Amino acid sequence: MSTSSFLRRVSERGRRRLPVSLREYDLFGILLVLPGVVLFGSFMLFPITFLVYLSMTDATHAGTVIGGGSSVIGLDNYVELFSDSQFWTSLGITWLFVVVSLVVKIVLSLGLAMVLTHSRVLGKRYLRAAVIIPMGFPTIFTITVWRGIFSGARFGPLNEMLYKYNDAVLSLTGLFDVTAPELLLLELPIGWLSGRWSSFFAYITAEVWLAYPFMVIIIVSALQDVSAELHDAAKVDGAGFLNRFRHITLPSIKRPVMFGSILTAATSFQQFLVPWIFNQGGPSRQNELIIVYGFREATELNEYAFGSAIMVTAIAFIGAFMWLAVKKGDLAEGVNS
C-alpha cells in the first residue's frame, strides 16, 4: 500500500467517526496546517499582539512589564509620539536613508550586473564569486570595519587617502609652478562621524556594501533571461546600445528588480546596526533611524510603552509601503507573470 493510499484511508476513517457537522471539514488537511498555524501564532502573531498591548500601557521598564505594575492608558503614547519632533526627524531621515541607499544600490548593481553578463568579459565566474564576498562576512564585522574606515582620526584610512590626494594635487600644480586652487584641496582631517551629512554618507556607504550583492544576484538572474533574439532584431533595425537597453533590457528586468528593491528597501527601513555602531544615530540624534529611536526610548530612557508605540508605528509604515509597492508593481502573482 502506498503512503498516499494509507493517509487517504486514515482520513476517511476519521471523517466517518466525526459528527455530521464536522465531516464537512477535511480533518487531515486541518492537521497538516495546524503546526504552521501554531508556529505562525507563536512567533508572529503573539509578539506583535503583545507589542501592540504594551504600546497602550504606561510600562516604563522590564519590571513593570514582567511584574504587572503597568496599566492600560489607551492611545496616549501615540498622541505623545506624533507630537514629538524627534519622531518626525527620525521618520524623515529613515525614509531619506531608504530612498538614497536604494537608488545607489540599483544603479551600482545594474552596472555590475551588465558587466558580469557581457559576452566580452572574461572570467565572469570568478568575478561573480568576488561580487558576493561581502555576503560571507558577519554583518557586525563588516560594519565595524567600515566604522574604522570612516574614523575621524588623522591617520584614519579614508582621511589618509585624502591626504595623499591633497599631496598629489600640490605635486601636480608644483610641476607648473602655480599655486594649487583651494577648491581642489580638502580641509583635513574630516570628522566623518561627527557631522550630520558626513555620517549619513557613511551610513549609505555601509548599507550599500551590505546589500548590493543581493541586488546583483537578482539582476544577473534577470539579465540572463532577456531574449537574445530581441536584441539581434533590434541590432538589425539599427538600434544602438542605449536604445536596446531602454526598450528591451529594462522592460524585461523591471519586475525582478522591483521585487528585489522592495525587499532591500524593507531591510534598509529596519536598519539598526549601522547607525548604532557608527555613532548611535548622532550627532545629537540627528541621524537616529526609526528603529534606533525606538530602541533608545525603550532601553536607555526606560520608556518601554513609548518605545513599543514607535515600533508598532514603524511596522505599520513598512507594512503599508510593502503593500503599496506590491500592489502598484502588480507583483502579487509573481515576478515572471
Side-chain angles (χ1 to χ4, degrees):
M1 179 188 299
S2 67
T3 304
S4 59
S5 301
F6 172 75
L7 294 176
R8 194 180 310 113
R9 290 184 61 182
V10 170
S11 177
E12 288 298 326
R13 288 181 181 178
R15 292 179 62 183
R16 285 196 296 270
R17 294 178 181 178
L18 285 173
V20 177
S21 59
L22 293 179
R23 290 179 191 173
E24 299 175 3
Y25 297 97
D26 187 344
L27 178 62
F28 187 66
I30 293 174
L31 290 175
L32 287 177
V33 171
L34 191 59
V37 172
V38 172
L39 289 174
F40 183 76
S42 302
F43 293 99
M44 291 293 293
L45 290 183
F46 174 72
I48 292 176
T49 304
F50 189 63
L51 190 68
V52 173
Y53 163 73
L54 270 181
S55 71
M56 296 184 180
T57 68
D58 60 354
T60 55
H61 54 84
T64 57
V65 177
I66 299 171
S70 57
S71 56
V72 176
I73 59 173
L75 299 176
D76 288 2
N77 286 321
Y78 292 95
V79 174
E80 182 184 350
L81 175 64
F82 292 130
S83 60
D84 185 2
S85 61
Q86 183 58 40
F87 167 70
W88 297 108
T89 301
S90 293
L91 192 62
I93 200 68
T94 301
W95 280 117
L96 185 63
F97 174 75
V98 171
V99 171
V100 174
S101 64
L102 181 60
V103 170
V104 176
K105 278 182 274 189
I106 291 176
V107 172
L108 175 65
S109 303
L110 188 57
L112 283 172
M114 293 290 291
V115 171
L116 294 176
T117 54
H118 199 282
S119 58
R120 294 184 181 178
V121 174
L122 301 177
K124 290 193 284 286
R125 179 185 303 176
Y126 303 104
L127 290 175
R128 289 171 187 169
V131 164
I132 63 173
I133 282 178
M135 298 180 76
F137 293 106
T139 305
I140 190 75
F141 167 77
T142 303
I143 296 173
T144 304
V145 170
W146 274 109
R147 187 182 185 281
I149 291 173
F150 282 104
S151 168
R154 161 64 181 84
F155 295 102
L158 192 53
N159 277 338
E160 186 64 19
M161 288 175 59
L162 295 177
Y163 271 111
K164 293 188 181 305
Y165 161 77
N166 274 356
D167 292 342
V169 172
L170 291 171
S171 301
L172 188 62
T173 53
L175 292 176
F176 299 96
D177 199 21
V178 295
T179 304
E182 291 187 3
L183 186 64
L184 295 178
L185 297 175
L186 299 170
E187 189 175 343
L188 299 173
I190 297 176
W192 292 99
L193 302 182
S194 58
R196 182 179 192 185
W197 297 115
S198 56
S199 298
F200 186 76
F201 170 73
Y203 291 3
I204 294 293
T205 305
E207 169 66 14
V208 170
W209 176 266
L210 289 169
Y212 88 89
F214 170 74
M215 287 297 294
V216 170
I217 291 172
I218 294 282
I219 298 176
V220 165
S221 301
L223 286 173
Q224 289 175 334
D225 290 335
V226 176
S227 171
E229 288 77 9
L230 286 178
H231 274 279
D232 293 339
K235 286 179 184 177
V236 172
D237 292 339
F241 172 79
L242 290 178
N243 277 328
R244 282 185 279 121
F245 178 75
R246 178 183 174 188
H247 297 290
I248 298 176
T249 305
L250 278 184
S252 300
I253 66 173
K254 182 179 71 174
R255 294 172 66 83
V257 171
M258 286 182 63
F259 174 73
S261 300
I262 292 170
L263 293 182
T264 189
T267 304
S268 299
F269 190 89
Q270 302 169 63
Q271 183 58 261
F272 172 80
L273 288 176
V274 170
W276 187 257
I277 292 174
F278 272 34
N279 59 0
Q280 299 189 352
S284 303
R285 304 182 69 177
Q286 291 178 313
N287 288 324
E288 204 172 60
L289 303 187
I290 191 81
I291 301 299
V292 176
Y293 174 44
F295 178 78
R296 190 193 299 278
E297 291 288 338
T299 59
E300 289 193 350
L301 304 180
N302 282 332
E303 292 290 348
Y304 263 51
F306 190 66
S308 301
I310 296 170
M311 295 305 182
V312 170
T313 306
I315 291 172
F317 271 105
I318 194 63
F321 163 75
M322 294 187 73
W323 179 77
L324 278 174
V326 171
K327 186 175 179 62
K328 295 297 181 184
D330 196 22
L331 297 173
E333 301 301 326
V335 296
N336 295 319
S337 59

